[in-house]
Amino acid sequence: MTGQEIGRARLRKEDARLVTGQTNWTDNISVGGLLHLAILRSPMAHARVDRVDVTPALERPGVVAAFSGADLAGGLGSLPCAWPVTEDIVLPDHPPIAVDEVRHAGDPVAVVVARDRYAAADALEAVEVDYTPLPPVLDLEAALAENAPLVHADKGTNRCYDWPLRAGEDFASVRRRADVTVKRRYHQQRLIPNAMEPRAVVVVPVAASDEYTVYSSTQIPHILRVMLAVVTGVPEHKLRVIAPDVGGGFGSKLQVYGEEAIALAVARRTGRPVKWTESRSEGYLATHHGRGMIQDIEIAATRDGTVLGLKADLLVDMGAYLMLVTPGIPILGAFMYPGIYKMGSYELNVTGVFTTRTPTDAYRGAGRPEATYAIERIMDELAVELALDPVELRRRNWIRHEEFPYTTIAGLTYDSGNYEAATDKALALFGYDKLRAEQADRNERGDGVRLGIGVSTYTEMCGLAPSRVLRDLRYAAGGWEAASVRVLPTGKVEVVTGTSPHGQGHVTCWSQIAADVLGVPFEDVEVVHGDTRAAPQGMDTYGSRSLVVGGTAVHHAATKVVERARKVAAHLLEASERDLEFTDGVFSVKGSPDARRTLQEIAFETFSSHDLPDGMEPTINAGHVLDPDTFSYPHGTHLCAVEVDTETGHTRIRSYVCVDDVGRVVNPPIVEGQVHGGLAQGIAQALFEEAVYDDEGNLVSGTPADYLVPSAPDLPEFVTDRTETPATSNPLGVKGVGEAGTIAATPAVVGAVVDALRPLGVHDIRMPCTPERVWRAVREASR
């Protein structure tokens, strides 16, 4: 039975395989003659590599081969950076395995190949490496000082790039005429991704044809294929990349990693299949990190709370190398610092800095959480300066619903939104006024456990597109996405998508979209993805683009199928195409309901090709490559109440309410799941997670025992709801949801902690707001 699928709370098709253990993770893959790789990594943050001798490892049981960086250098080029954001950006070479110098703890220096993973790991200790230590580079400001030690001596600087953005009135003149200016410094700590499935790669050579199948736990099989061809010299048409079941990514698998290139090079050298799977502690060193930024933020306003302008100066930690989109991450956020607010002046300066730490790159939200944190926190500070309620200050400055579409000071045109509706609903669910009254009472009593309330009214740009805009930002790739829809002779449907899921629910949602357009049962749709041979075109999954771009491409392809089928139906029914109606998968002639043909009947008629219109190809299958005209802009209001124990520094989230507007919803439970997961990661940055290095550049939070990832008992019960203002930029009206929770949650939680302690003289706490940091902030304020 068919019906309206979009908006229906369907159980995920993917889940049966997941919960019954019938998945195919990369590490599950086993083929005949499989060899295992282990990688020796530098224990030093910065050193010259004087000697690497792998010979002793060859004598260990089970070892088949061993290679130094010099041994593999001939078959490996530099790892790619696809986003050189300025013409004069400093682009150092990035060898997949170090040859002469290591530049962060965890940099690969040798690889051992053995018959099983344990023999390979054991043999690493036999590899002999001599290092000459070099000074680490860790402090972003000190790295830019004259005569500072250099991460890349041949480049003569640790400054990677400077990227400015100016809009509207000059900020200096705005500052002079403003009644109030507030300036703050915020630190975005480094975060380490913790996907449930570690990274892994298996390379299977086909000797007879000199082809290679690469299985990788990746978000980007299509991009990976192109880049591996560039790095290794294997012709692209000889490479097949498959992303099997992928257990989470959060941006960490939006990458072309050295291990993938090394595995391909070793398979090429040995002629044998090879596998590498990271350990957790190895992943903490080798998987790229997220965030890592110092933000100097200044806001100017009038006495009545009207925001006049904003200035942001960013120092951004690139780490030791530029990975796939490292320099572009702060640029993604650059257009979002004004947030939902109207103003006449905006100035941004981004400076990328090399350090001797693990490279940074995309992490859930990728630039947008940093921007939202800055503007929402500085709005809180401005509200305090003006003695205004923080919600009231926001009301005085946000874009009103009747003003959409609205072009912001940063140059983006928001197509639709209703910040008033989302905020009003959130305030009601939260009991805002009652909580404020309780807070005032507890402050008056000098309660040792203080109540704080945090507000975050956010929007984000997602659905990475359009290609011409990306060109202007110097991004090497496009923002298009591909899909095709095949109606099989028996009437069943295959949807082929270029997006590559890793937990988002593409198979379910794409089935719903196709079923609605085609009028076929949801159960009759199968979705094919993640294989560059089965789905040859695609730009993959990141930046909340899958539904907005990939799902819309499915919609268009399915619509083309209906229009092709219409021609066959008109011919068979001896009617004009204009006289046909299409409802619930059936073509009928207006006024003659008995004259009808189902889509399934037309599919078989097309397969037989016995009676088609003259000149028509015998197929109703269709594809569509969509290059969107603009981004999409979900928004929402998040409210957090915390209780902070001033004696111990412990913070407990008492209540969390969010009302998000993600446009039209395809599957409500999937949206709910995405919001909950995003909230967990945003709260994690606020209260728990931080990559910590010592003075020598060693990662001291290098295991799950040292890096605190919150679990279910650490999180509150979330109250979530939605408003709906459909996007006008796509026919589905969708906006994207994958990153919303992460973007909004962090400033709401930190704002609540600071709000709780502000009566005690605390005006900021550096993230994460651990009990120790909170306790120290209270003690320092009391002195």
Side-chain angles (χ1 to χ4, degrees), residues 682-760:
I683 291 169
Q685 180 174 8
L687 298 180
F688 298 102
E689 297 185 23
E690 182 177 23
V692 179
Y693 286 82
D694 66 16
D695 292 341
E696 299 301 316
N698 300 302
L699 181 65
V700 297
S701 56
T703 72
D706 308 301
Y707 183 91
L708 185 56
V709 177
S711 60
D714 299 308
L715 300 170
E717 291 288 332
F718 301 122
V719 176
T720 64
D721 208 332
R722 292 186 298 275
T723 57
E724 185 174 308
T725 53
T728 62
S729 56
N730 64 74
L732 294 175
V734 296
K735 293 183 178 182
V737 68
E739 297 161 303
T742 304
I743 289 168
T746 308
V749 175
V750 175
V753 174
V754 174
D755 183 63
L757 301 177
R758 201 181 294 276
L760 304 178

Side-chain angles (χ1 to χ4, degrees), residues 562-572 575 577 580 587 613 616:
V562 172
E563 293 311 306
R564 289 185 175 186
R566 184 184 299 276
K567 295 181 183 298
V568 180
H571 176 74
L572 295 174
E577 291 181 40
L580 293 186
F587 289 98
M616 182 175 179

